[in-house]
Amino acid sequence: MSAPLPHDEFRRLEALARYAVLDTLPEPCFDRLTQLAARLFKVPVALINLVDQHRLWAKACFGTTSRELDRPTSFCAYTILSEEPLVIPDATQDTRFRSSPLVDGPAHARFYGGAPLITHDGFRIGTLCILDQKPRASLTAEERATLGIWLRSPWTNWTCAWPSRVWKPSPRPKPRC
């Protein structure tokens, strides 16, 4: 089942394009954020995904080498529909995801927790997400709050650094964290 598009999809894609970050080189500061998220939530996989028109692209990942995924059946396509974190305790029990390649394919994702990356002007351009191959109880209220708070602080700092100019990666990118 494909996720519906956000009501502001065209403007959201314009906002994503302004950051000129898709398909750029990995940056250690973002990789460290995903490693921290994986440790904090005790999961094997964490990613910072940007949701493009037809795909998800991982700006940073921990616990996986997969950096791109089709958008329509992804968890993250649903996560950007709200400002609140999305938690799926067992994806095999959720009709939206049980036939997703992430669930019935080699990744065997069962648990998903994600929070939207919200730009300074309010567009949800991606997610910080955590995954596990085992179903888990839903996040506690404190863990949900931690995911939202933890995410907004570094991401806000990153996006606020670029609102009025286009960032162009150099061959040896300098982290802006």
Side-chain angles (χ1 to χ4, degrees):
M1 174 185 291
S2 292
L5 297 176
H7 71 281
D8 59 352
E9 178 68 357
F10 181 75
R11 292 179 57 219
R12 189 194 71 76
L13 289 170
E14 287 181 326
L16 175 60
R18 277 196 307 269
Y19 288 98
V21 70
L22 287 170
D23 301 310
T24 57
L25 296 171
E27 294 182 62
C29 61
F30 296 114
D31 291 333
R32 283 191 299 273
L33 291 175
T34 56
Q35 183 178 7
L36 178 62
R39 288 182 182 202
L40 180 65
F41 293 98
K42 297 176 178 65
V43 294
V45 177
L47 302 107
I48 294 175
N49 281 325
L50 299 171
V51 181
D52 199 5
Q53 185 174 3
H54 300 291
R55 66 181 176 140
L56 301 183
W57 180 76
K59 175 60 183 162
C61 55
F62 177 81
T64 183
T65 56
S66 179
R67 286 192 125 12
E68 194 168 315
L69 182 70
D70 287 339
R71 176 181 174 175
T73 57
S74 70
F75 299 113
C76 297
Y78 283 89
T79 305
I80 65 167
L81 297 175
S82 170
E83 292 187 8
E84 297 301 315
L86 174 66
V87 178
I88 310 296
D90 185 351
T92 65
Q93 303 303 308
D94 191 310
T95 57
R96 297 172 295 178
F97 306 113
R98 68 173 55 135
S99 63
S100 166
L102 274 176
V103 177
D104 67 3
H108 297 292
R110 296 297 178 262
F111 172 81
Y112 170 86
L117 302 175
I118 303 172
T119 64
H120 70 283
D121 50 353
F123 293 102
R124 297 180 298 270
I125 62 172
T127 68
L128 168 82
C129 62
I130 53 176
L131 297 157
D132 200 335
Q133 291 182 329
K134 298 178 284 194
R136 295 173 50 143
S138 188
L139 296 177
T140 66
E142 184 175 331
E143 288 172 322
R144 282 169 102 66
T146 299
L147 183 60
I149 292 166
W150 180 86
L151 171 69
R152 283 179 176 85
S153 178
W155 185 253
T156 300
N157 291 340
W158 183 57
T159 61
C160 286
W162 297 336
S164 61
R165 65 183 177 87
V166 174
W167 177 73
K168 298 197 187 259
S170 64
R172 301 176 83 190
K174 296 178 183 170
R176 299 193 51 83
C177 295

